[in-house]
Amino acid sequence: MTTVATVTDEGTDSPYALSHLNALESEAVHIFREVAGEFENPVILFSGGKDSILMLHLALKAFAPAAIPFSLLHVDTGHNFPEVLEYRDRVVAEHGLRLHVASVQEYIDRGVLKERPDGTRNPLQTLPLTEKIQSERFDAVFGGGRRDEEKARAKERVFSLRDEFSQWDPRRQRPELWQLYNGRHAPGEHVRVFPLSNWTELDVWQYIAREDIELPGIYFAHEREVFQRSGMWLTAGEWGGPKESETVETRLVRYRTVGDMSCTGAVDSDATTLDAVITEIAASRLTERGATRADDKMSEAAMEDRKREGYF
Amino acid sequence: MSNSTAEPVKPLSTEQLSATTLLRFATAGSVDDGKSTLVGRLLHDSKSVLTDQLEAVERASASRGADAPDLALLTDGLRAEREQGITIDVAYRYFATARRRFILADTPGHVQYTRNMVTGASTADLAVVLVDARNGVIEQTRRHAAVAALLRVPHVVLAVNKMDLVAYDETVFAKIAEEFTAYAGELGVPEITAIPISALAGDNVVDPSSNMDWYGGPTVLEHLETVPVSHDLATCHARLPVQYVIRPQTAEHPDYRGYAGQIAAGAFRVGESVTVLPSGRTSKVAGIDLLGQPVDVAWTPQSVTLLLEDDIDISRGDLIVPSGDAPATTQDVEATVCHVADTALSVGQRVLLKHTTRTVKAIVKEIPSRLTLDDLSQHPEPGRLVANDIGRVKIRTAEPLALDSYADSRRTGSFLLIDPSDGTTLAAGMAGDAFATPADEPAADAATDGSDDGWDF
């Protein structure tokens, strides 16, 4: 071949090697297209967090110049950051997408779910999610889960079969060979699909910076009224914090993850730009979940147990 | 971040962070040869284990009454694994250096989990086979070499571990390296690098060892950072399995019709004549969209959309190839399969065969032989294959497939057999010959085990 020198991928020293971000992007796009080709009614779980925003961006690229052939599903805990809801509604309108909402508050109001004593609603998401999957007959559900997040997630397949109760059985997973994803499933079963499986937190941020993807402002350092609980800075709000014994103070913080306000902590930070965030994460000695998620600290196998029941 | 509790690490520059390539590798080792320690040390010494993860391991180790943190708890993620202290399933780990990002398929070493080793090796550019320096090359080592050869992993590293327990003796290492290299070379493993290490003491894993001045080669990490991952595309047959047809049908793009897929091998160029299989229709590449951006050339493993000059009938499952470099289409597939399901695969069984983006009905016509990795013995006409068996099969498909030999293309020479009744993945298939025959000597000389008369099973 004579044109080798002209096709060098940026940032690599060998002619046909892809940079790691291009390799991850290509793999994720392949996964989106496989699902579009094999399933009848897929949906993307969309929380307004960076991983789901990245999924949406990759899906837009995968099918350009056509529209994304999937709808979105938000599992709404009722304890949302207002900036995130605003972002969600804006991108849905901008791209002409269809948004489904599974509401935890509605389940509580109907008396089907009960508020937990600790106030966290993360574990309560499983039932509204799985019932929505059944009622809308979704057969493939994209999640932004990454294997670097947590040791049970490190065991997750890219295509993960769930039974009619949405349960995950880690001991009965299909082997995943080459790039040949097996999406066969019986009626009532569905497949959870994780196109970001092989991305790390740093990859996500580098890619967001490279592609200049807009994020909700809570990912960047800003002054916020917070109080301390179990070693984390939580945002004061209508969801029930702070208690009388807890003191609110104004601090310069940002979020590494976006989830339910009652159990997602902020970190002290002065990173106001993408570059500053990347520098901060590259130097951090804490994982994003270790730094900011209370629910994962409940037990050594908290994530595995919730995933078995149908959590994403 | 002010909530860091460990010593600060010098952050990589933004430039360093983006100028990296990705290496996928798999580890294979027996139960007590120190695989978890090696993985733990690679993660730990490359600063990929973060404070809260280490604290969790320390807490869990202490609550089990252990004296020191058990690094295996970093990698054993499931309840059952921690309870039994063994690795059941493949786990994927991520770490990075300034030069490269790594995806590590951490595969169990137990004989009964051969299928998981196959899973890990199927996407690996490199496999690390561990041996205990005190025991040398054992049956399990030969099994790992055989799986690496079978899956055609391009690079194999032999890590001779526990050198500290043999007084860092060069002759011990040299003997093991020679025996393994001869054995694996005969199986057709293209490149073998032997490295003497002590995962426990840290010799030659990340930092060069002062205990083995006689060794002049790279450490494990240096080798992982520098081994080439790009393919020589000049010798590759270009292949694009069509995944999805993109037709916007909007005012802006009324006539756009693009064939989306990930290039499985080789490169495609605008203006090139192409043939679509299995129909055999031909056209020319009118344009290539690389995720929304037009390019003149694209290569594996880029996900692209191909636009053709002629409006011909193409759908998911078709294969676009350069005219004049098309694989033969066939309904009679001969292959080596690794059986990965708990239910058996039998002669006469109806299955689905998934090859690239195409799934077709098929029937198992013959199972000429079975090789048990357990003792490397062969059994003619076994009639059926059970979990972890590796065997030769002949399959008749309902529709023609454009199948390459696995030796030529891991991506277009591989397939799955699927149970049509419940969707279970039954077997991993590799079309064509099982192992490469050594170029300069007959295959029969390959066996170090007297009972094993060559590899042509």
Side-chain angles (χ1 to χ4, degrees):
Chain A
M1 242 171 248
T2 53
T3 54
V4 165
T6 65
V7 292
T8 302
D9 194 35
E10 193 184 346
T12 63
D13 51 9
S14 103
Y16 284 110
L18 296 194
S19 74
H20 81 279
L21 286 180
N22 284 339
L24 291 171
E25 177 190 59
S26 178
E27 178 182 68
V29 164
H30 175 252
I31 293 163
F32 276 112
R33 288 168 169 178
E34 276 301 281
V35 171
E38 297 246 303
F39 292 83
E40 296 291 325
N41 191 18
V43 69
I44 300 177
L45 287 177
F46 189 83
S47 66
K50 64 182 186 308
D51 298 314
S52 54
I53 290 169
L54 178 54
M55 277 204 294
L56 186 61
H57 181 86
L58 288 162
L60 285 164
K61 278 194 154 190
F63 301 101
I68 300 176
F70 316 127
S71 52
L72 301 186
L73 168 58
H74 182 212
V75 183
D76 183 347
T77 64
H79 292 161
N80 296 291
F81 293 94
E83 301 96 319
V84 175
L85 278 191
E86 185 272 327
Y87 183 98
R88 178 195 79 180
D89 293 339
R90 193 152 42 84
V91 296
V92 164
E94 188 183 333
H95 300 295
L97 298 161
R98 178 161 179 223
L99 176 73
H100 305 268
V101 177
S103 164
V104 172
Q105 187 64 54
E106 188 193 303
Y107 276 71
I108 293 172
D109 293 346
R110 279 198 280 131
V112 180
L113 286 175
K114 288 195 173 57
E115 199 87 73
R116 294 160 51 99
D118 62 6
T120 179
R121 288 184 171 181
N122 249 13
L124 303 185
Q125 294 180 77
T126 303
L127 186 68
L129 167 67
T130 55
E131 290 200 345
K132 183 64 91 178
I133 289 170
Q134 297 300 332
S135 66
E136 295 287 336
R137 297 175 188 273
F138 294 126
D139 53 0
V141 180
F142 289 102
R146 309 189 317 265
R147 290 177 182 142
D148 83 318
E149 282 181 274
E150 208 278 335
K151 55 189 181 296
R153 285 205 165 147
K155 297 279 178 180
E156 182 66 270
R157 299 289 189 261
V158 174
F159 273 41
S160 180
L161 183 66
R162 303 301 172 98
D163 67 14
E164 59 192 310
F165 299 101
S166 293
Q167 295 180 118
W168 182 60
D169 185 348
R171 298 193 77 161
R172 297 187 56 81
Q173 300 191 87
R174 289 173 180 164
E176 206 147 74
L177 297 137
W178 299 286
Q179 286 80 12
L180 292 168
Y181 302 110
N182 177 358
R184 310 281 304 183
H185 60 282
E189 297 177 338
H190 71 278
V191 174
R192 297 282 172 92
V193 183
F194 301 99
L196 307 184
S197 284
N198 288 322
W199 297 57
T200 65
E201 182 187 15
L202 199 52
D203 296 328
V204 168
W205 279 104
Q206 284 180 256
Y207 188 78
I208 285 169
R210 187 185 90 171
E211 302 282 306
D212 201 18
I213 301 169
E214 191 203 341
L215 294 181
I218 66 169
Y219 280 112
F220 301 96
H222 56 289
E223 297 230 317
R224 177 176 282 268
E225 290 203 329
V226 292
F227 64 93
Q228 196 152 41
R229 183 182 291 175
S230 312
M232 294 193 315
W233 293 112
L234 298 183
T235 291
E238 288 174 7
W239 58 268
K243 295 175 191 157
E244 274 181 30
S245 57
E246 294 163 334
T247 318
V248 171
E249 56 184 292
T250 303
R251 297 183 74 91
L252 191 60
V253 296
R254 66 174 204 88
Y255 283 85
R256 282 176 77 177
T257 64
V258 166
D260 185 271
M261 278 174 100
S262 63
C263 63
T264 305
V267 294
D268 287 315
S269 169
D270 56 8
T272 54
T273 64
L274 283 169
D275 277 351
V277 168
I278 290 170
T279 304
E280 188 181 271
I281 289 167
S284 172
R285 301 304 299 148
L286 289 176
T287 64
E288 66 180 282
R289 289 199 161 260
T292 66
R293 286 297 178 93
D295 46 326
D296 292 340
K297 296 177 179 171
M298 288 175 188
S299 86
E300 210 183 326
M303 177 66 87
E304 180 180 345
D305 294 344
R306 268 185 293 148
K307 278 169 63 66
R308 279 175 177 275
E309 289 169 12
Y311 188 79
F312 35 89
Chain B
M1 233 174 269
S2 60
N3 54 4
S4 299
T5 54
E7 59 183 283
V9 180
K10 190 171 178 291
L12 303 175
S13 70
T14 309
E15 199 174 49
Q16 279 175 318
L17 286 169
S18 57
T20 55
T21 50
L22 198 60
L23 180 82
R24 292 170 196 253
F25 73 106
T27 54
S30 310
V31 182
D32 292 319
D33 58 10
K35 189 168 65 69
S36 293
T37 316
L38 174 64
V39 171
R41 184 156 288 283
L42 276 172
L43 295 174
H44 184 268
D45 289 7
S46 65
K47 310 275 191 288
S48 302
V49 181
L50 300 183
T51 308
D52 54 312
Q53 293 172 317
L54 259 189
E55 283 170 1
V57 166
E58 282 163 7
R59 266 200 313 274
S61 303
S63 73
R64 286 168 170 75
D67 294 337
D70 179 1
L71 283 183
L73 292 176
L74 277 174
T75 54
D76 288 342
L78 300 176
R79 251 182 209 288
E81 291 179 324
R82 287 191 298 272
E83 282 160 13
Q84 299 173 46
I86 59 164
T87 312
I88 293 169
D89 202 350
V90 185
Y92 294 88
R93 311 283 157 201
Y94 303 84
F95 66 101
T97 66
R99 306 177 74 164
R100 212 167 238 181
R101 293 302 181 93
F102 300 98
I103 300 178
L104 160 58
D106 186 15
T107 67
H110 281 66
V111 178
Q112 66 265 39
Y113 299 124
T114 300
R115 55 187 166 190
N116 288 328
M117 215 155 50
V118 170
T119 299
S122 72
T123 51
D125 300 308
L126 179 147
V128 178
V129 175
L130 251 86
V131 302
D132 184 328
R134 295 170 302 176
N135 304 330
V137 174
I138 57 172
E139 264 182 30
Q140 183 76 329
T141 317
R142 285 195 283 270
R143 261 175 235 134
H144 295 151
V147 170
L150 186 70
L151 273 290
R152 297 188 188 266
V153 180
H155 307 275
V156 171
V157 171
L158 172 74
V160 181
N161 193 21
K162 305 195 182 180
M163 286 299 293
D164 52 319
L165 300 183
V166 295
Y168 296 107
D169 186 348
E170 181 178 4
T171 55
V172 173
F173 169 73
K175 182 175 168 292
I176 295 169
E178 192 182 339
E179 186 182 347
F180 182 85
T181 305
Y183 183 79
E186 297 292 354
L187 296 180
V189 174
E191 192 194 285
I192 299 152
T193 305
I195 305 175
I197 67 167
S198 167
L200 194 66
D203 296 284
N204 288 337
V205 177
V206 172
D207 301 311
S209 169
S210 55
N211 296 314
M212 289 178 276
D213 292 336
W214 46 263
Y215 173 73
T219 66
V220 173
L221 188 64
E222 275 168 19
H223 184 66
L224 293 174
E225 283 184 313
T226 53
V227 71
V229 284
S230 63
H231 311 282
D232 181 8
L233 297 189
T235 60
C236 275
H237 310 286
R239 303 284 185 255
L240 180 78
V242 176
Q243 272 189 294
Y244 192 76
V245 182
I246 294 179
R247 285 195 307 135
Q249 296 175 297
T250 55
E252 201 184 339
H253 302 280
D255 302 319
Y256 188 100
R257 189 180 174 86
Y259 305 102
Q262 187 172 28
I263 298 176
F268 285 88
R269 286 176 170 70
V270 172
E272 191 172 13
S273 296
V274 290
T275 299
V276 181
L277 298 173
S279 73
R281 292 186 185 91
T282 58
S283 184
K284 273 190 175 161
V285 179
I288 303 173
D289 278 354
L290 181 60
L291 306 183
Q293 186 193 347
V295 293
D296 293 333
V297 57
W299 62 93
T300 179
Q302 290 176 331
S303 280
V304 297
T305 306
L306 231 55
L307 302 158
L308 301 185
E309 282 184 3
D310 307 285
D311 200 7
I312 52 180
D313 176 19
I314 303 175
S315 57
R316 176 174 168 85
D318 288 347
L319 188 71
I320 300 178
V321 302
S323 298
D325 184 19
T329 57
T330 181
Q331 286 179 256
D332 293 293
V333 178
E334 289 196 47
T336 302
V337 299
C338 176
H339 193 68
V340 296
D342 291 329
T343 52
L345 182 75
S346 306
V347 171
Q349 193 170 337
R350 290 179 186 280
V351 294
L352 294 171
L353 188 155
K354 181 167 186 181
H355 169 246
T356 66
T357 55
R358 190 175 186 82
T359 303
V360 299
K361 289 181 181 173
I363 187 163
V364 180
K365 302 296 275 188
E366 270 183 70
I367 302 179
S369 62
R370 169 170 67 84
L371 173 123
T372 310
L373 282 180
D374 231 22
D375 57 0
L376 303 178
S377 63
Q378 285 183 75
H379 306 268
E381 303 292 343
R384 61 206 283 270
L385 297 174
V386 300
N388 298 307
D389 279 351
I390 289 173
R392 293 289 290 170
V393 294
K394 292 184 179 176
I395 299 162
R396 174 80 181 169
T397 60
E399 297 166 47
L401 292 178
L403 201 67
D404 283 300
S405 159
Y406 187 77
D408 287 342
S409 168
R410 291 171 87 187
R411 190 108 185 217
T412 52
S414 56
F415 60 84
L416 301 181
L417 296 183
I418 296 169
D419 185 335
S421 68
D422 63 1
T424 302
T425 300
L426 294 170
M430 289 151 279
D433 295 333
F435 291 97
T437 308
D440 46 2
E441 12 179 358
D445 292 347
T448 53
D449 178 341
S451 67
D452 175 33
D453 189 21
W455 282 102
D456 185 24
F457 58 90

